[in-house]
């Protein structure tokens, strides 16, 4: 207040009776105000920045560190010269009503802009602070902040118009209503992004860190950023795909979060068995297959049931096709089932089956359907490869063959 009183005494000492002298005095006074304002802004900017930096080093919270990084102190320091101008300029312009009227408009607009700057800086600091918290790391914080700032900037723009043109709120709303179609056309993407961002957040459709696949945009990777207009995806080849936010509610995409949160990752793959390699098992062959540990108890139990059935129904076993019989493909299916059940990488509490698919001209598809315990991509691929390595290598023990398309090498052999 000492500075303000001193400035007031200086400005009151000038004589405004003469018009030319008044304008000269006005120019001198304005120059003095500008110089003092610049000095105050420079000094308090330094003081605020130093003070906030010292506070940041003394506290355990990192929020004040982000306030420093987002230049909050710099914007707050502008309040002091603003207060000085607000107190002194009306004194200088006391006899200049028109200029005082313009100054009043200008100072109100600057107050709105400065308030928005300070608010944006604080919200950006809050965004950076929340992003480092584990429970908020997957939330679309950018979208929330952008939605809030959009409303604040909209309020600021409306305030600018009201101040600049001295129009009433009713008149302004009526005007906006008349040109709403043009506004919607110009800001179509922003409006769609705004609506989509709210829908995505409320319905928890995607989070930062989610793995999504969206073929339309060539996206297959992890979400690294969600904001009002776009969603950024880092693909597995380290490229980045940018998807319009509203596309997440207008187009189809796959979110792998359910798999990651579940108890296992699905293995669903088949091998093609040559149809002409499938045959019945002769009784004399059973001893050989009983030596396979995964099949010993199964063959004994199953063959006993088959013999009882054939005996009870008087089946003529001189022709092997009569009655019930074991097949090499059936034994192989049971063997794979038991092998996978004993595999340490498979979750036994989730669905597991070995099934036939519709036979094709390329053979009989034998599908393995189960879930691995480890959902990490590399480990998952290792588990699946280990299982199929063993399955393919086991085929000759059951006199089965994998279908392969004809090649010149096959013909020559």
């Amino acid at each position: 207040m000492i500075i303000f009183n001193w400035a007031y005494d200086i400005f009151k000492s000038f004589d405004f009776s003469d018009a030319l002298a008044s304008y000269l005095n006005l120019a001198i006074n304005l120059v003095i105000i500008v110089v003092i304002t610049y000095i105050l802004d420079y000094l308090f900017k330094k003081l605020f920045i130093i003070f906030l930096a010292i506070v940041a080093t003394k506290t355990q919270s990192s929020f004040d560190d982000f306030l420093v990084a987002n230049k909050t102190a710099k914007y707050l320091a502008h309040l002091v010269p603003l207060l000085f101008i607000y107190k002194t300029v009306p004194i200088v312009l006391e006899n200049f009503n028109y200029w005082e009227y313009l100054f009043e408009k200008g100072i109100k607009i600057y107050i709105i802009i400065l308030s928005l700057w300070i608010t944006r800086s604080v919200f950006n600091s809050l965004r950076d602070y929340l992003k480092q918290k584990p429970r908020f790391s997957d939330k679309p914080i950018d979208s929330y902040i952008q939605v809030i700032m959009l409303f604040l900037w909209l309020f600021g723009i409306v305030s600018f118009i009201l101040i600049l043109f001295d129009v009433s709120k009713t008149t302004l709303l009526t005007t906006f209503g008349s040109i709403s179609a043009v506004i919607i056309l110009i800001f179509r993407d922003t409006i769609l992004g705004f609506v989509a961002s709210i829908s995505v957040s409320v319905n928890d459709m995607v989070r930062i860190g989610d793995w999504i696949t969206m073929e339309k945009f060539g996206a297959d990777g992890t979400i690294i950023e969600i904001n009002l207009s776009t969603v950024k995806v880092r693909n597995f080849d380290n490229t980045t795909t940018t998807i319009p936010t509203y596309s997440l509610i207008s187009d189809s995409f796959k979110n792998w979060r359910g798999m990651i949160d579940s108890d296992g990752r699905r293995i669903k793959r088949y091998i093609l068995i040559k149809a002409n390699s499938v045959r019945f098992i002769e009784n004399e062959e059973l001893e050989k297959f009983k030596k396979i540990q995964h099949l010993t108890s199964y063959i004994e139990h199953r063959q006993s049931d088959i013999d009882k059935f054939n005996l009870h129904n008087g089946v003529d076993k001189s022709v092997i096709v009569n009655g019930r019989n074991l097949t090499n493909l059936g034994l192989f299916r049971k063997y794979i089932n038991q092998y996978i059940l004993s595999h340490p990488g498979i979750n036994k509490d989730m669905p597991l089956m070995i099934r036939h698919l519709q036979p094709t001209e390329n053979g009989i598809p034998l599908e393995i359907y189960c879930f691995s315990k480890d959902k990490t991509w590399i480990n998952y691929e290792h588990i699946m490869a280990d299982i199929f390595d063993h399955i393919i290598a086991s085929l000759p023990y059951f006199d089965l063959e994998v279908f392969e398309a004809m090649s010149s090498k096959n013909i020559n052999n």
Side-chain angles (χ1 to χ4, degrees):
M1 293 306 296
I2 295 176
I3 295 176
F4 299 148
N5 292 333
W6 169 73
Y8 179 81
D9 293 337
I10 291 177
F11 300 145
K12 280 295 185 181
S13 65
F14 290 102
D15 183 12
F16 291 96
S17 58
D18 184 73
L20 182 61
S22 297
Y23 281 107
L24 182 62
N25 288 336
L26 174 64
I28 294 172
N29 290 336
L30 290 176
V31 170
I32 294 173
I33 289 174
V34 169
V35 172
I36 296 175
T37 300
Y38 177 80
I39 294 172
L40 287 174
D41 185 67
Y42 179 80
L43 290 176
F44 279 93
K45 192 189 302 180
K46 292 291 184 183
L47 287 173
F48 274 52
I49 291 173
I50 293 172
F51 174 75
L52 192 56
I54 293 173
V55 171
T57 58
K58 299 295 183 181
T59 58
Q60 294 182 350
S61 174
S62 59
F63 179 68
D64 40 25
D65 297 319
F66 291 118
L67 289 174
V68 173
N70 285 288
K71 301 179 181 179
T72 306
K74 172 186 172 182
Y75 297 129
L76 287 173
H78 292 324
L79 291 172
V80 176
L82 175 64
L83 180 61
F84 173 74
I85 292 174
Y86 183 76
K87 290 286 188 180
T88 56
V89 172
I91 300 173
V92 175
L93 299 175
E94 186 175 9
N95 297 323
F96 299 88
N97 295 331
Y98 177 73
W99 293 107
E100 186 177 4
Y101 171 74
L102 291 181
F103 164 75
E104 183 181 357
K105 285 180 177 291
I107 202 70
K108 287 180 179 179
I109 291 174
Y110 183 73
I111 289 172
I112 294 172
I113 294 174
L114 183 57
S115 300
L116 289 172
W117 281 347
I118 295 172
T119 305
R120 183 187 63 180
S121 175
V122 172
F123 275 123
N124 287 342
S125 302
L126 180 63
R127 175 200 63 195
D128 297 336
Y129 175 72
L130 292 177
K131 277 187 174 182
Q132 69 171 0
K133 298 293 183 181
R135 61 175 178 166
F136 293 105
S137 60
D138 60 348
K139 300 295 187 294
I141 304 298
D142 290 292
S143 293
Y144 299 147
I145 299 298
Q146 287 177 343
V147 168
I148 294 172
M149 289 307 303
L150 181 65
F151 277 113
L152 291 176
W153 277 108
L154 184 62
F155 174 77
I157 291 171
V158 171
S159 300
F160 294 160
I161 297 173
L162 292 175
I163 293 170
L164 282 175
F165 301 105
D166 290 325
V167 296
S168 65
K169 296 178 182 178
T170 305
T171 305
L172 183 63
L173 291 174
T174 304
T175 305
F176 274 152
S178 302
I179 62 172
S180 58
V182 178
I183 294 175
I184 291 173
L185 182 63
I186 295 173
F187 296 102
R188 173 182 175 274
D189 290 340
T190 303
I191 294 170
L192 287 174
F194 171 68
V195 175
S197 181
I198 294 176
S199 179
V200 166
S201 301
V202 170
N203 297 317
D204 196 23
M205 296 171 65
V206 293
R207 303 174 188 167
I208 294 174
D210 280 358
W211 167 18
I212 68 167
T213 302
M214 201 168 189
E215 295 180 1
K216 179 179 178 180
F217 294 94
D220 185 17
T222 305
I223 294 176
I224 57 175
E225 183 181 327
I226 302 174
N227 55 46
L228 190 61
S229 57
T230 59
V231 174
K232 289 185 180 179
V233 179
R234 179 180 288 118
N235 300 312
F236 293 122
D237 59 0
N238 285 330
T239 59
T240 301
T241 299
T242 302
I243 303 171
T245 306
Y246 61 81
S247 294
L248 295 178
I249 60 175
S250 62
D251 296 314
S252 175
F253 70 96
K254 182 184 289 186
N255 190 336
W256 295 83
R257 189 202 311 163
M259 179 273 293
I260 294 171
D261 293 342
S262 70
D263 296 327
R265 184 170 179 178
R266 188 180 68 176
I267 296 173
K268 184 183 179 184
R269 183 179 290 185
Y270 63 82
I271 56 174
L272 290 168
I273 305 294
K274 277 188 178 181
N276 59 8
S277 68
V278 179
R279 62 177 181 82
F280 292 119
I281 299 295
E282 300 283 356
N283 288 334
E284 55 269 19
E285 294 181 279
L286 290 177
E287 292 303 319
K288 179 186 72 171
F289 287 111
K290 284 182 180 179
K291 293 179 180 179
I292 300 175
Q293 291 182 351
H294 289 311
L295 293 177
T296 304
S297 60
Y298 171 75
I299 291 175
E300 291 176 351
H301 174 74
R302 189 66 172 166
Q303 188 59 39
S304 175
D305 290 342
I306 290 173
D307 290 341
K308 288 178 182 178
F309 175 85
N310 291 336
L311 181 62
H312 183 267
N313 290 279
V315 175
D316 179 10
K317 292 305 295 177
S318 61
V319 179
I320 194 171
V321 75
N322 291 334
R324 295 174 62 186
N325 299 277
L326 290 172
T327 64
N328 59 345
L329 183 56
L331 286 178
F332 184 60
R333 283 192 296 108
K334 185 61 179 180
Y335 172 74
I336 296 173
N337 190 85
Q338 295 302 112
Y339 173 76
I340 293 177
L341 278 173
S342 66
H343 197 287
I346 299 299
N347 189 335
K348 284 77 176 180
D349 296 326
M350 299 187 75
L352 187 157
M353 64 178 171
I354 315 300
R355 62 173 181 164
H356 287 176
L357 300 181
Q358 176 68 34
T360 69
E361 66 276 11
N362 295 326
I364 303 171
L366 190 66
E367 185 180 77
I368 287 80
Y369 188 100
C370 58
F371 290 81
S372 68
K373 290 179 180 177
D374 199 325
K375 294 164 284 185
T376 307
W377 184 26
I378 295 176
N379 297 337
Y380 164 79
E381 292 290 345
H382 284 322
I383 293 170
M384 185 161 56
D386 180 58
I387 290 172
F388 277 86
D389 287 346
H390 186 88
I391 288 172
I392 294 170
S394 301
L395 280 168
Y397 289 89
F398 295 85
D399 294 328
L400 292 169
E401 297 179 41
V402 177
F403 173 84
E404 291 180 312
M406 266 312 212
S407 66
S408 58
K409 185 176 180 181
N410 296 131
I411 295 171
N412 293 333
N413 292 337

